[in-house]
mmCIF file of all heavy atoms in Angstrom:
data_model
loop_
_atom_site.group_PDB
_atom_site.id
_atom_site.type_symbol
_atom_site.label_atom_id
_atom_site.label_comp_id
_atom_site.label_asym_id
_atom_site.label_seq_id
_atom_site.Cartn_x
_atom_site.Cartn_y
_atom_site.Cartn_z
ATOM 1 N N VAL B 802 17.503 -27.059 1.224
ATOM 2 C CA VAL B 802 16.469 -26.404 0.397
ATOM 3 C C VAL B 802 15.127 -27.128 0.507
ATOM 4 O O VAL B 802 14.242 -26.922 -0.322
ATOM 5 C CB VAL B 802 16.904 -26.311 -1.085
ATOM 6 C CG1 VAL B 802 18.151 -25.486 -1.206
ATOM 7 C CG2 VAL B 802 17.111 -27.693 -1.698
ATOM 8 N N GLU B 803 14.966 -27.947 1.521
ATOM 9 C CA GLU B 803 13.676 -28.617 1.744
ATOM 10 C C GLU B 803 12.583 -27.554 1.892
ATOM 11 O O GLU B 803 12.718 -26.625 2.694
ATOM 12 C CB GLU B 803 13.754 -29.465 3.014
ATOM 13 C CG GLU B 803 12.554 -30.354 3.243
ATOM 14 C CD GLU B 803 12.472 -31.518 2.263
ATOM 15 O OE1 GLU B 803 13.529 -32.033 1.837
ATOM 16 O OE2 GLU B 803 11.344 -31.890 1.930
ATOM 17 N N PRO B 804 11.489 -27.637 1.101
ATOM 18 C CA PRO B 804 10.429 -26.623 1.199
ATOM 19 C C PRO B 804 9.869 -26.517 2.617
ATOM 20 O O PRO B 804 9.807 -27.511 3.342
ATOM 21 C CB PRO B 804 9.360 -27.123 0.218
ATOM 22 C CG PRO B 804 10.103 -27.999 -0.739
ATOM 23 C CD PRO B 804 11.210 -28.626 0.044
ATOM 24 N N VAL B 805 9.468 -25.297 3.003
ATOM 25 C CA VAL B 805 8.937 -25.056 4.352
ATOM 26 C C VAL B 805 7.605 -25.772 4.517
ATOM 27 O O VAL B 805 6.713 -25.658 3.677
ATOM 28 C CB VAL B 805 8.757 -23.544 4.605
ATOM 29 C CG1 VAL B 805 8.146 -23.292 5.972
ATOM 30 C CG2 VAL B 805 10.087 -22.823 4.481
ATOM 31 N N ASP B 806 7.486 -26.515 5.603
ATOM 32 C CA ASP B 806 6.266 -27.260 5.877
ATOM 33 C C ASP B 806 5.154 -26.300 6.302
ATOM 34 O O ASP B 806 5.397 -25.302 6.992
ATOM 35 C CB ASP B 806 6.530 -28.278 6.989
ATOM 36 C CG ASP B 806 5.359 -29.214 7.190
ATOM 37 O OD1 ASP B 806 5.219 -30.150 6.387
ATOM 38 O OD2 ASP B 806 4.583 -28.993 8.137
ATOM 39 N N LYS B 807 3.910 -26.596 5.889
ATOM 40 C CA LYS B 807 2.782 -25.696 6.171
ATOM 41 C C LYS B 807 2.468 -25.571 7.660
ATOM 42 O O LYS B 807 1.846 -24.597 8.100
ATOM 43 C CB LYS B 807 1.526 -26.154 5.415
ATOM 44 C CG LYS B 807 0.991 -27.516 5.816
ATOM 45 C CD LYS B 807 -0.253 -27.870 5.010
ATOM 46 C CE LYS B 807 -0.891 -29.168 5.457
ATOM 47 N NZ LYS B 807 -0.039 -30.349 5.321
ATOM 48 N N ASP B 808 2.893 -26.545 8.463
ATOM 49 C CA ASP B 808 2.636 -26.495 9.908
ATOM 50 C C ASP B 808 3.728 -25.740 10.672
ATOM 51 O O ASP B 808 3.627 -25.573 11.892
ATOM 52 C CB ASP B 808 2.531 -27.921 10.480
ATOM 53 C CG ASP B 808 1.295 -28.644 9.952
ATOM 54 O OD1 ASP B 808 0.304 -27.952 9.649
ATOM 55 O OD2 ASP B 808 1.330 -29.883 9.834
ATOM 56 N N THR B 809 4.743 -25.273 9.955
ATOM 57 C CA THR B 809 5.884 -24.624 10.612
ATOM 58 C C THR B 809 5.476 -23.375 11.381
ATOM 59 O O THR B 809 5.924 -23.143 12.507
ATOM 60 C CB THR B 809 6.956 -24.252 9.562
ATOM 61 O OG1 THR B 809 7.409 -25.447 8.935
ATOM 62 C CG2 THR B 809 8.134 -23.555 10.203
ATOM 63 N N ILE B 810 4.590 -22.574 10.787
ATOM 64 C CA ILE B 810 4.210 -21.292 11.409
ATOM 65 C C ILE B 810 3.503 -21.513 12.744
ATOM 66 O O ILE B 810 3.500 -20.648 13.616
ATOM 67 C CB ILE B 810 3.321 -20.471 10.445
ATOM 68 C CG1 ILE B 810 3.160 -19.041 10.941
ATOM 69 C CG2 ILE B 810 1.982 -21.130 10.224
ATOM 70 C CD1 ILE B 810 4.426 -18.255 11.005
ATOM 71 N N LYS B 811 2.903 -22.681 12.931
ATOM 72 C CA LYS B 811 2.167 -22.960 14.170
ATOM 73 C C LYS B 811 3.095 -23.272 15.337
ATOM 74 O O LYS B 811 2.667 -23.289 16.490
ATOM 75 C CB LYS B 811 1.199 -24.137 13.959
ATOM 76 C CG LYS B 811 0.132 -23.859 12.894
ATOM 77 C CD LYS B 811 -0.706 -25.102 12.627
ATOM 78 C CE LYS B 811 -1.697 -24.858 11.492
ATOM 79 N NZ LYS B 811 -2.443 -26.091 11.164
ATOM 80 N N GLN B 812 4.357 -23.549 15.020
ATOM 81 C CA GLN B 812 5.303 -23.877 16.088
ATOM 82 C C GLN B 812 5.671 -22.623 16.879
ATOM 83 O O GLN B 812 5.811 -21.538 16.313
ATOM 84 C CB GLN B 812 6.586 -24.495 15.501
ATOM 85 C CG GLN B 812 6.347 -25.774 14.722
ATOM 86 C CD GLN B 812 5.739 -26.868 15.572
ATOM 87 O OE1 GLN B 812 6.136 -27.079 16.710
ATOM 88 N NE2 GLN B 812 4.739 -27.551 15.018
ATOM 89 N N PRO B 813 5.836 -22.746 18.218
ATOM 90 C CA PRO B 813 6.230 -21.571 19.015
ATOM 91 C C PRO B 813 7.640 -21.128 18.655
ATOM 92 O O PRO B 813 8.427 -21.904 18.097
ATOM 93 C CB PRO B 813 6.166 -22.093 20.462
ATOM 94 C CG PRO B 813 6.265 -23.574 20.351
ATOM 95 C CD PRO B 813 5.656 -23.952 19.037
ATOM 96 N N PRO B 814 7.989 -19.866 18.937
ATOM 97 C CA PRO B 814 9.341 -19.375 18.625
ATOM 98 C C PRO B 814 10.406 -20.207 19.342
ATOM 99 O O PRO B 814 10.197 -20.668 20.459
ATOM 100 C CB PRO B 814 9.333 -17.930 19.161
ATOM 101 C CG PRO B 814 7.900 -17.567 19.286
ATOM 102 C CD PRO B 814 7.169 -18.827 19.578
ATOM 103 N N ARG B 815 11.522 -20.372 18.662
ATOM 104 C CA ARG B 815 12.632 -21.102 19.270
ATOM 105 C C ARG B 815 13.272 -20.228 20.338
ATOM 106 O O ARG B 815 13.445 -19.024 20.155
ATOM 107 C CB ARG B 815 13.655 -21.432 18.175
ATOM 108 C CG ARG B 815 14.857 -22.203 18.653
ATOM 109 C CD ARG B 815 15.679 -22.652 17.470
ATOM 110 N NE ARG B 815 16.112 -21.543 16.666
ATOM 111 C CZ ARG B 815 17.214 -20.836 16.906
ATOM 112 N NH1 ARG B 815 17.966 -21.124 17.944
ATOM 113 N NH2 ARG B 815 17.552 -19.839 16.123
ATOM 114 N N ARG B 816 13.608 -20.836 21.471
ATOM 115 C CA ARG B 816 14.239 -20.068 22.553
ATOM 116 C C ARG B 816 15.671 -19.717 22.188
ATOM 117 O O ARG B 816 16.362 -20.487 21.537
ATOM 118 C CB ARG B 816 14.213 -20.874 23.854
ATOM 119 C CG ARG B 816 12.832 -20.974 24.487
ATOM 120 C CD ARG B 816 12.846 -21.893 25.685
ATOM 121 N NE ARG B 816 13.278 -23.244 25.309
ATOM 122 C CZ ARG B 816 13.231 -24.290 26.143
ATOM 123 N NH1 ARG B 816 12.798 -24.130 27.370
ATOM 124 N NH2 ARG B 816 13.629 -25.478 25.739
ATOM 125 N N ILE B 817 16.096 -18.561 22.660
ATOM 126 C CA ILE B 817 17.445 -18.081 22.352
ATOM 127 C C ILE B 817 18.497 -19.012 22.931
ATOM 128 O O ILE B 817 19.601 -19.133 22.401
ATOM 129 C CB ILE B 817 17.628 -16.638 22.881
ATOM 130 C CG1 ILE B 817 18.976 -16.052 22.443
ATOM 131 C CG2 ILE B 817 17.503 -16.579 24.384
ATOM 132 C CD1 ILE B 817 19.108 -15.858 20.989
ATOM 133 N N THR B 818 18.170 -19.712 24.024
ATOM 134 C CA THR B 818 19.138 -20.611 24.661
ATOM 135 C C THR B 818 19.242 -21.956 23.943
ATOM 136 O O THR B 818 20.155 -22.723 24.201
ATOM 137 C CB THR B 818 18.743 -20.866 26.130
ATOM 138 O OG1 THR B 818 17.368 -21.286 26.171
ATOM 139 C CG2 THR B 818 18.900 -19.602 26.952
ATOM 140 N N ASP B 819 18.287 -22.240 23.049
ATOM 141 C CA ASP B 819 18.329 -23.510 22.315
ATOM 142 C C ASP B 819 19.523 -23.516 21.361
ATOM 143 O O ASP B 819 19.792 -22.529 20.681
ATOM 144 C CB ASP B 819 17.052 -23.710 21.491
ATOM 145 C CG ASP B 819 15.849 -23.985 22.358
ATOM 146 O OD1 ASP B 819 16.043 -24.202 23.568
ATOM 147 O OD2 ASP B 819 14.724 -23.988 21.833
ATOM 148 N N THR B 820 20.218 -24.648 21.342
ATOM 149 C CA THR B 820 21.326 -24.806 20.393
ATOM 150 C C THR B 820 20.876 -25.711 19.259
ATOM 151 O O THR B 820 19.873 -26.419 19.371
ATOM 152 C CB THR B 820 22.558 -25.426 21.076
ATOM 153 O OG1 THR B 820 22.190 -26.699 21.591
ATOM 154 C CG2 THR B 820 23.054 -24.538 22.207
ATOM 155 N N ILE B 821 21.627 -25.677 18.179
ATOM 156 C CA ILE B 821 21.316 -26.590 17.067
ATOM 157 C C ILE B 821 21.449 -28.025 17.549
ATOM 158 O O ILE B 821 20.629 -28.884 17.238
ATOM 159 C CB ILE B 821 22.249 -26.292 15.874
ATOM 160 C CG1 ILE B 821 21.865 -24.965 15.244
ATOM 161 C CG2 ILE B 821 22.179 -27.414 14.843
ATOM 162 C CD1 ILE B 821 22.725 -24.527 14.097
ATOM 163 N N LEU B 822 22.487 -28.270 18.359
ATOM 164 C CA LEU B 822 22.709 -29.631 18.877
ATOM 165 C C LEU B 822 21.939 -29.817 20.188
ATOM 166 O O LEU B 822 22.506 -29.798 21.273
ATOM 167 C CB LEU B 822 24.208 -29.874 19.094
ATOM 168 C CG LEU B 822 25.030 -30.127 17.832
ATOM 169 C CD1 LEU B 822 26.498 -30.221 18.178
ATOM 170 C CD2 LEU B 822 24.586 -31.388 17.123
ATOM 171 N N SER B 823 20.630 -30.000 20.075
ATOM 172 C CA SER B 823 19.811 -30.279 21.255
ATOM 173 C C SER B 823 20.026 -31.734 21.687
ATOM 174 O O SER B 823 20.584 -32.545 20.940
ATOM 175 C CB SER B 823 18.345 -30.035 20.938
ATOM 176 O OG SER B 823 17.922 -30.905 19.896
ATOM 177 N N LYS B 824 19.564 -32.064 22.899
ATOM 178 C CA LYS B 824 19.716 -33.437 23.398
ATOM 179 C C LYS B 824 19.039 -34.434 22.474
ATOM 180 O O LYS B 824 19.572 -35.503 22.180
ATOM 181 C CB LYS B 824 19.128 -33.548 24.809
ATOM 182 C CG LYS B 824 19.960 -32.860 25.879
ATOM 183 C CD LYS B 824 19.335 -33.031 27.247
ATOM 184 C CE LYS B 824 20.151 -32.289 28.319
ATOM 185 N NZ LYS B 824 19.537 -32.403 29.659
ATOM 186 N N SER B 825 17.838 -34.080 22.028
ATOM 187 C CA SER B 825 17.081 -34.962 21.132
ATOM 188 C C SER B 825 17.850 -35.214 19.836
ATOM 189 O O SER B 825 17.939 -36.350 19.358
ATOM 190 C CB SER B 825 15.728 -34.321 20.824
ATOM 191 O OG SER B 825 15.065 -35.013 19.801
ATOM 192 N N LEU B 826 18.436 -34.141 19.275
ATOM 193 C CA LEU B 826 19.176 -34.279 18.017
ATOM 194 C C LEU B 826 20.439 -35.119 18.216
ATOM 195 O O LEU B 826 20.780 -35.957 17.372
ATOM 196 C CB LEU B 826 19.536 -32.899 17.475
ATOM 197 C CG LEU B 826 20.108 -32.869 16.051
ATOM 198 C CD1 LEU B 826 19.073 -33.353 15.051
ATOM 199 C CD2 LEU B 826 20.567 -31.470 15.671
ATOM 200 N N ILE B 827 21.124 -34.913 19.346
ATOM 201 C CA ILE B 827 22.341 -35.684 19.624
ATOM 202 C C ILE B 827 22.018 -37.177 19.714
ATOM 203 O O ILE B 827 22.751 -38.021 19.173
ATOM 204 C CB ILE B 827 23.011 -35.183 20.920
ATOM 205 C CG1 ILE B 827 23.616 -33.782 20.692
ATOM 206 C CG2 ILE B 827 24.099 -36.148 21.390
ATOM 207 C CD1 ILE B 827 24.103 -33.093 21.937
ATOM 208 N N LEU B 828 20.901 -37.514 20.388
ATOM 209 C CA LEU B 828 20.488 -38.919 20.496
ATOM 210 C C LEU B 828 20.215 -39.521 19.117
ATOM 211 O O LEU B 828 20.614 -40.662 18.832
ATOM 212 C CB LEU B 828 19.248 -39.041 21.382
ATOM 213 C CG LEU B 828 19.466 -38.824 22.888
ATOM 214 C CD1 LEU B 828 18.142 -38.804 23.624
ATOM 215 C CD2 LEU B 828 20.374 -39.928 23.463
ATOM 216 N N LYS B 829 19.543 -38.742 18.264
ATOM 217 C CA LYS B 829 19.238 -39.232 16.910
ATOM 218 C C LYS B 829 20.512 -39.375 16.079
ATOM 219 O O LYS B 829 20.634 -40.295 15.261
ATOM 220 C CB LYS B 829 18.254 -38.277 16.219
ATOM 221 C CG LYS B 829 16.843 -38.366 16.792
ATOM 222 C CD LYS B 829 15.904 -37.359 16.144
ATOM 223 C CE LYS B 829 14.507 -37.483 16.742
ATOM 224 N NZ LYS B 829 13.581 -36.470 16.202
#
Side-chain angles (χ1 to χ4, degrees):
V802 299
E803 188 71 33
V805 177
D806 188 79
K807 64 180 185 299
D808 293 331
T809 299
I810 192 63
K811 298 174 184 176
Q812 300 299 317
R815 181 171 58 86
R816 287 174 301 188
I817 186 65
T818 52
D819 290 350
T820 60
I821 289 178
L822 284 175
S823 61
K824 288 181 182 178
S825 170
L826 190 64
I827 290 171
L828 288 173
K829 288 177 180 177

